[in-house]
Amino acid sequence: MQLSFAAIASIFAASSLVSAVPLQRRDTKMMTAQTRLDAAGAVYFITNEGDENRVIAASINTDGTLNLDRAVTAGGRGSHGITDPQGPDALFAQGAIKASAKGQVLATVNPGSNTITLFSIDPKTPTNINPLGDVVSSEGEFPMSLAFNSDGNRLCVLNGGAVNGVNCYSVDKKTGLTALPNTLRSLGLNQTTPATGPAGSASHVVFSEDGKQLLASVKGVPPTPGMIAVWDVAEDGSLSADFKAVAPPEGGLLPFSMTVIPGKNAVLSTDPGVGFDVFDFGSGNSSSAVKIDGQSATCWSSFSKKTGNFYLTDIGTAIVTEVKVDDNLKASIVKQYPQTKGAATIDNEIATVKDKDFMYVLAPGTQTVEVLSLDGPGDAKHVQTLDLKGPTSAAGVTINTNNLQGMTAFISP
């Protein structure tokens, strides 16, 4: 069969049109007609669905507000812990997904697959994330929390299932994650897979401010208090063979999130049994448990560099509580900020945009992300409610109030 010059020309023209249009990856579902190219950064959280876990990325505008952008498959499955009744906060944890600004990478747990996925972040278009290397085993069961070191070249995971404890990896921008020798350490918890909780479950893993220790929080089973497990970190990234168990201060019960108190060998830990605890790892003399009157389950926390204060979220009351910790580690409540009733405010993150801090709160009860502008100490203002239900449904992305989890941010350099 012979084709006319006009027919051949039309074929080439059609071909050039196709190649000129960016192809959407099969593992990506877009929730916007056009990605913001002038974004200040992005926030990320996970769908944590049992058949397929996805990372949802939203661009951060220069005024701190958000635009939903895309949902990218994480190459694994989500899971929900065993609890009665079942509700939001599927993993009983903070840190299910974490970004490293210095490493320009993003990592998420796949708790139903016992795996971790690493992505690269395009600093110019930070909602554009791409898998790095292979999905790797967490070397345990029910991975729930992740922590990068300050350089972004090491990552540690907290497993909370029947096989529980921590494991760490080197991070390579080409090959992805490689398990580090002498970092697989057990917590020895009597747990199940999926984990049973919230009481008695692991919660959060973080590095100390100097990177010389790795901390993992474990909730107690009333009336027995929980603990923070502390491993020493060697220069090669290996961990001490055994952990030191640090009990909560008197009155503390259920250590949940841990947020480093800058310049101090200490952390603020939310505690749904009372409000929050201050763990002083130095002398220990300044540790304290602080009651939040009327709290239901205060479980997540972040720190604002601009205001110098901490911000805690309560899943039951949907209230954000602002806390000040002074130079002597004495803590006090500054102000509280009620959000929409029934929002079930869980994971939160604070990011600096144009020299101002903004707080991003995942609210699975209303299937939204709440955005607060932190204008100064005691001065937080609600500036946006980002709807998740409509855009995800239109894009064919499944989300469930009981499964949504995590919140982390990346700000473009």
Side-chain angles (χ1 to χ4, degrees):
M1 179 180 71
Q2 292 184 334
L3 293 175
S4 68
F5 177 80
I8 294 172
S10 66
I11 291 172
F12 276 103
S15 175
S16 65
L17 283 173
V18 170
S19 62
V21 177
L23 294 178
Q24 179 179 318
R25 296 202 324 250
R26 291 182 180 179
D27 58 0
T28 300
K29 294 189 177 183
M30 299 301 297
M31 290 177 284
T32 183
Q34 185 172 357
T35 295
R36 295 294 296 261
L37 300 179
D38 60 347
V43 299
Y44 316 89
F45 51 96
I46 58 174
T47 62
N48 189 38
E49 288 296 303
D51 59 345
E52 181 183 38
N53 185 26
R54 284 183 175 271
V55 175
I56 295 182
S59 57
I60 302 176
N61 301 316
T62 54
D63 65 355
T65 59
L66 301 176
N67 291 313
L68 278 179
D69 188 81
R70 67 188 70 191
V72 180
T73 185
R77 299 184 303 276
S79 184
H80 197 295
I82 300 169
T83 186
D84 186 21
Q86 194 175 86
D89 184 29
L91 305 185
F92 316 133
Q94 179 165 317
I97 184 168
K98 290 299 292 184
S100 167
K102 193 167 183 179
Q104 298 184 350
V105 286
L106 175 75
T108 182
V109 297
N110 300 303
S113 302
N114 302 327
T115 58
I116 307 166
T117 306
L118 184 71
F119 298 89
S120 63
I121 299 174
D122 180 350
K124 294 183 179 179
T125 312
T127 55
N128 181 23
I129 57 174
N130 291 282
L132 272 177
D134 296 326
V135 175
V136 300
S137 170
S138 69
E139 304 296 339
E141 295 177 354
F142 201 68
M144 54 172 43
S145 182
L146 296 163
F148 283 105
N149 67 346
S150 59
D151 288 332
N153 58 10
R154 290 176 190 162
L155 176 74
C156 293
V157 61
L158 174 63
N159 291 295
V163 181
N164 53 75
V166 297
N167 194 45
C168 301
Y169 307 80
S170 62
V171 178
D172 187 276
K173 295 294 290 288
K174 293 183 179 179
T175 59
L177 297 173
T178 301
L180 285 169
N182 300 313
T183 63
L184 182 60
R185 300 291 185 254
S186 174
L187 277 167
L189 304 179
N190 182 19
Q191 262 294 349
T192 59
T193 300
T196 298
S201 63
S203 294
H204 195 196
V205 63
V206 298
F207 281 93
S208 60
E209 188 173 28
D210 62 8
K212 294 182 179 180
Q213 293 179 316
L214 185 71
L215 287 59
S217 54
V218 179
K219 309 173 203 71
V221 179
T224 304
M227 67 169 178
I228 292 180
V230 182
W231 288 270
D232 292 327
V233 181
E235 288 294 328
D236 63 358
S238 61
L239 303 181
S240 54
D242 299 309
F243 64 81
K244 177 184 177 182
V246 181
E250 184 178 356
L253 187 63
L254 305 166
F256 199 108
S257 71
M258 296 175 289
T259 302
V260 169
I261 300 174
K264 308 290 182 181
N265 186 14
V267 298
L268 181 148
S269 174
T270 52
D271 186 333
V274 58
F276 65 93
D277 307 320
V278 173
F279 282 79
D280 176 8
F281 297 116
S283 66
N285 297 332
S286 297
S287 295
S288 63
V290 181
K291 184 179 180 181
I292 299 178
D293 290 331
Q295 72 99 30
S296 172
T298 305
C299 298
W300 299 267
S301 57
S302 293
F303 176 74
S304 167
K305 294 179 180 178
K306 295 299 180 181
T307 70
N309 289 340
F310 298 81
Y311 296 80
L312 290 52
T313 44
D314 185 323
I315 189 173
T317 64
I319 290 175
V320 174
T321 298
E322 181 178 353
V323 171
K324 177 180 176 59
V325 179
D326 69 16
D327 287 340
N328 297 315
L329 295 181
K330 183 179 180 181
S332 58
I333 295 172
V334 176
K335 195 172 181 179
Q336 292 187 299
Y337 309 92
Q339 304 303 298
T340 303
K341 187 176 181 180
T345 48
I346 56 173
D347 300 85
N348 64 73
E349 177 76 303
I350 293 173
T352 304
V353 182
K354 297 293 184 182
D355 206 38
K356 179 188 285 190
D357 276 1
F358 292 86
M359 183 179 186
Y360 302 98
V361 184
L362 184 62
T366 48
Q367 296 192 353
T368 60
V369 175
E370 304 301 323
V371 183
L372 284 75
S373 172
L374 308 182
D375 296 343
D379 187 12
K381 295 183 176 65
H382 183 275
V383 295
Q384 184 190 21
T385 294
L386 178 72
D387 175 51
L388 304 179
K389 186 175 183 180
T392 54
S393 177
V397 176
T398 300
I399 63 170
N400 184 303
T401 289
N402 290 348
N403 292 336
L404 287 166
Q405 193 84 66
M407 180 61 68
T408 191
F410 175 88
I411 299 299
S412 298

